[in-house]
Amino acid sequence: MDNPWKSIKLFEYESHMKLDTVMQLQTLNSMRKKQLNTYSVDNVMILGVAGGNGLEHIETEKYNTVYSVDINSKYFQEVRNRYNNLNNIMKCLCIDIISETDKLPSCDFIIANLLIEYIGYECFQTVVKQVKPKYVSCGIQININEEFVSDSPYFILLMD
């Protein structure tokens, strides 16, 4: 079975994430700003970059390399269009981190928001061992209900 993230359209994903009832796009943007400005590092790896939410907070004079990693190669064109000021330092890596962990380069800092819930702790540990970062920052969704994905008009589209 192919990974469902390869077929989720970016517009539908981001539309769901920014709904007032979900508020994840807004929350993650604020988190990413803090994450990017907390550590003194030359490079960063953002796992599950999708459309690049929060990349506007990258200071080009601070970072030499920004690794944008996602399993959906279609997302990268939008990331490059939205953040063309980062094209000199951004490297887009289309990698399935579950099965292609060995393709990840070493990096000083990993950001993984809303990712561990999908790949599992063991896989994430494998990623960290491969990348060997100085710092790791993760945003993890804690579900108080049984539902993992918030209800929205995009739910059916996201799950197709």
Side-chain angles (χ1 to χ4, degrees):
M1 183 173 144
D2 212 11
N3 190 304
W5 284 102
K6 289 183 178 181
S7 60
I8 295 174
K9 293 180 176 72
L10 185 61
F11 172 79
E12 293 162 357
Y13 173 63
E14 289 181 335
S15 295
H16 164 77
M17 295 282 284
K18 71 181 177 184
L19 287 171
D20 289 340
T21 56
V22 177
M23 292 292 290
Q24 285 181 335
L25 206 67
Q26 301 88 324
T27 302
L28 290 172
N29 189 286
S30 175
M31 284 175 53
R32 181 128 328 130
K33 181 177 182 179
K34 290 176 187 172
Q35 290 168 318
L36 289 167
N37 293 304
T38 297
Y39 303 100
S40 181
V41 294
D42 293 329
N43 51 64
V44 61
M45 180 179 292
I46 300 170
L47 300 175
V49 74
N53 180 29
L55 294 184
E56 69 270 17
H57 305 299
I58 290 177
E59 298 173 19
T60 54
E61 60 280 349
K62 176 181 178 179
Y63 289 99
N64 294 327
T65 308
V66 175
Y67 295 103
S68 297
V69 180
D70 209 289
I71 193 170
N72 190 328
S73 62
K74 295 174 187 162
Y75 293 170
F76 292 130
Q77 187 57 50
E78 190 62 33
V79 169
R80 287 184 187 101
N81 289 340
R82 289 177 181 175
Y83 306 100
N84 60 11
N85 64 311
L86 301 177
N87 284 342
N88 291 335
I89 61 171
M90 186 164 42
K91 297 184 187 305
C92 295
L93 306 175
C94 185
I95 296 175
D96 180 343
I97 60 175
I98 294 173
S99 62
E100 301 175 312
T101 308
D102 60 319
K103 292 183 178 181
L104 293 169
S106 293
C107 187
D108 293 336
F109 180 30
I110 291 176
I111 296 176
N113 296 327
L114 299 184
L115 178 83
I116 298 171
E117 300 88 330
Y118 294 98
I119 66 170
Y121 296 116
E122 286 182 21
C123 180
F124 188 65
Q125 289 172 341
T126 303
V127 168
V128 171
K129 287 176 186 174
Q130 169 70 25
V131 176
K132 299 177 183 78
K134 295 177 188 174
Y135 306 101
V136 176
S137 182
C138 306
I140 299 172
Q141 180 177 325
I142 298 173
N143 297 313
I144 55 175
N145 300 326
E146 297 288 323
E147 302 274 331
F148 184 68
V149 177
S150 303
D151 192 26
S152 84
Y154 301 96
F155 184 73
I156 293 171
L157 297 172
L158 291 170
M159 298 301 120
D160 279 348

